[in-house]
Amino acid sequence: MQPLTRARLAALGAAGVAWAEALPEVLAGLARDWSLELGADLPGGSNSYVVRATTATGSRAVLKVVLDDTGLADQIRVLQVADGRGYARLLRSDLDRRAMLLEELGASLQNRGLPGRDQLAILADTLAIAWQPTGLDRVPPEADKAVGLAHLISEHWEQLDRPCPTEVRDQALRYAEQLADPPAEALVVVHGDPHPGNALAAKRSGRNDQIGYRFVDPDGFVADRAYDLGVTMRDFSAAVLREGRPLVESYAALLAARTGVVAERIWQWAFVERVSTGLYVLGFGAETVARSYLDSAELLLDRP
């Protein structure tokens, strides 16, 4: 089980213990019902256990059991609609057991050793395939990602005893206010967390899919395209700590040129995500990871 998953289980207390204790039986039941032979476990972020599987026909697949099923129905729906276009193909799902069986993909973009700019170009091009249309004219306030992240930042900053400067919090909240209620023409069903670790090499070409990567783990909510593009910039903290604001400005410009989305909104979303993610992971004890987000955000403050 991956370190972030272990940290989250520990933070959940008795509920986390219960999930971990039930996991072997859940896996055995899924293997029996879906005629799978299970293999080695795989990295699965902070909210799941992921294991290799072989089907009755000999095809290789991946079985995923999630810890928190919030949004799981949305994730399944996005994968069903995509049918392999920009996303891993969904083979089976079981909401009651919080499980999905997915086609096996290759190594993640994160592990290819490519420069940041090349990773961002691949992510932007894959997002252009993965984004799905929505019939909404606007996002309801209660579902607005900017509003939700503003609440998270305010609450966690106080609860965690103000772990970053007030200026960092205030800039994130100011950006979130500006990003709320995006225009209808900008809205799509976004991935929600399209970082390089969630983009895996495709092992076969999907129809109209020439990029060579597919996303896994979509959150599948409605937001503007700039949100996803901002998230792609979030996880280069080590590089930001070395090179500072000019690097992030160049990343935003690259993504804007590639997609036609306004660079300023991409920059703003990236900052809000950097701060909110740092506070969120600090909340379940991943302090080293959290500090990289929060310290790098401090370097990106607007200066008079």
Side-chain angles (χ1 to χ4, degrees), residues 237-288:
S237 296
V240 175
L241 287 167
R242 288 194 308 269
E243 302 181 43
R245 189 181 181 104
L247 177 71
V248 181
E249 290 176 341
S250 73
Y251 283 174
L254 180 152
L255 292 169
R258 203 120 192 151
T259 62
V261 176
V262 176
E264 183 180 6
R265 288 185 70 84
I266 299 172
W267 165 278
Q268 290 177 335
W269 271 123
F271 189 87
V272 171
E273 270 290 308
R274 187 174 295 280
V275 176
S276 61
T277 302
L279 294 172
Y280 174 74
V281 298
L282 186 60
F284 62 83
E287 185 167 357
T288 300

Side-chain angles (χ1 to χ4, degrees), residues 36-140:
L36 303 174
E37 181 180 341
L38 302 185
D41 63 350
L42 294 164
S46 65
N47 189 44
S48 60
Y49 178 80
V50 185
V51 61
R52 295 186 190 277
T54 304
T55 70
T57 62
S59 299
R60 299 178 67 176
V62 171
L63 177 63
K64 175 181 176 181
V65 181
V66 304
L67 171 58
D68 178 0
D69 64 354
T70 303
L72 181 58
D74 291 332
Q75 181 173 160
I76 290 171
R77 184 178 64 253
V78 168
L79 294 175
Q80 288 172 334
V81 169
D83 192 25
R85 181 177 172 81
Y87 288 104
R89 184 168 280 106
L90 179 68
L91 307 177
R92 302 285 295 266
S93 63
D94 187 321
L95 270 174
D96 291 336
R97 289 183 283 189
R98 307 179 187 179
M100 293 182 289
L101 186 69
L102 303 161
E103 68 170 327
E104 183 184 59
L105 297 172
S108 73
L109 179 59
Q110 178 178 279
N111 293 329
R112 278 199 59 191
L114 295 175
R117 293 180 64 85
D118 292 346
Q119 293 186 54
L120 291 172
I122 290 170
L123 291 171
D125 292 349
T126 308
L127 282 170
I129 292 173
W131 283 325
Q132 296 173 2
T134 174
L136 294 179
D137 292 328
R138 68 188 297 264
V139 181

Side-chain angles (χ1 to χ4, degrees), residues 131-297:
W131 283 325
Q132 296 173 2
T134 174
L136 294 179
D137 292 328
R138 68 188 297 264
V139 181
E142 66 273 12
D144 193 309
K145 190 65 173 179
V147 174
L149 290 181
H151 287 314
L152 184 154
I153 290 166
S154 296
E155 293 175 2
H156 278 58
W157 191 77
E158 291 290 353
Q159 292 170 359
L160 297 169
D161 196 24
R162 306 179 180 187
C164 63
T166 304
E167 293 83 1
V168 171
R169 181 206 60 180
D170 289 349
Q171 180 163 307
L173 293 178
R174 184 170 66 252
Y175 283 171
E177 183 178 6
Q178 294 171 15
L179 292 164
D181 195 20
E185 62 271 17
L187 298 179
V188 292
V189 179
V190 296
H191 178 284
D193 196 21
H195 60 75
N198 273 342
L200 308 184
K203 292 200 168 185
R204 64 179 184 274
S205 296
R207 58 182 181 274
N208 300 320
D209 182 352
Q210 302 300 316
I211 301 303
Y213 282 84
R214 292 183 185 160
F215 285 115
V216 295
D217 295 349
D219 293 330
F221 54 88
V222 175
D224 64 309
R225 293 173 176 83
Y227 174 78
D228 263 352
L229 296 171
V231 173
T232 67
M233 294 167 50
R234 180 192 63 202
D235 292 331
F236 294 94
S237 296
V240 175
L241 287 167
R242 288 194 308 269
E243 302 181 43
R245 189 181 181 104
L247 177 71
V248 181
E249 290 176 341
S250 73
Y251 283 174
L254 180 152
L255 292 169
R258 203 120 192 151
T259 62
V261 176
V262 176
E264 183 180 6
R265 288 185 70 84
I266 299 172
W267 165 278
Q268 290 177 335
W269 271 123
F271 189 87
V272 171
E273 270 290 308
R274 187 174 295 280
V275 176
S276 61
T277 302
L279 294 172
Y280 174 74
V281 298
L282 186 60
F284 62 83
E287 185 167 357
T288 300
V289 176
R291 289 266 45 108
S292 68
Y293 287 121
L294 297 175
D295 292 348
S296 58

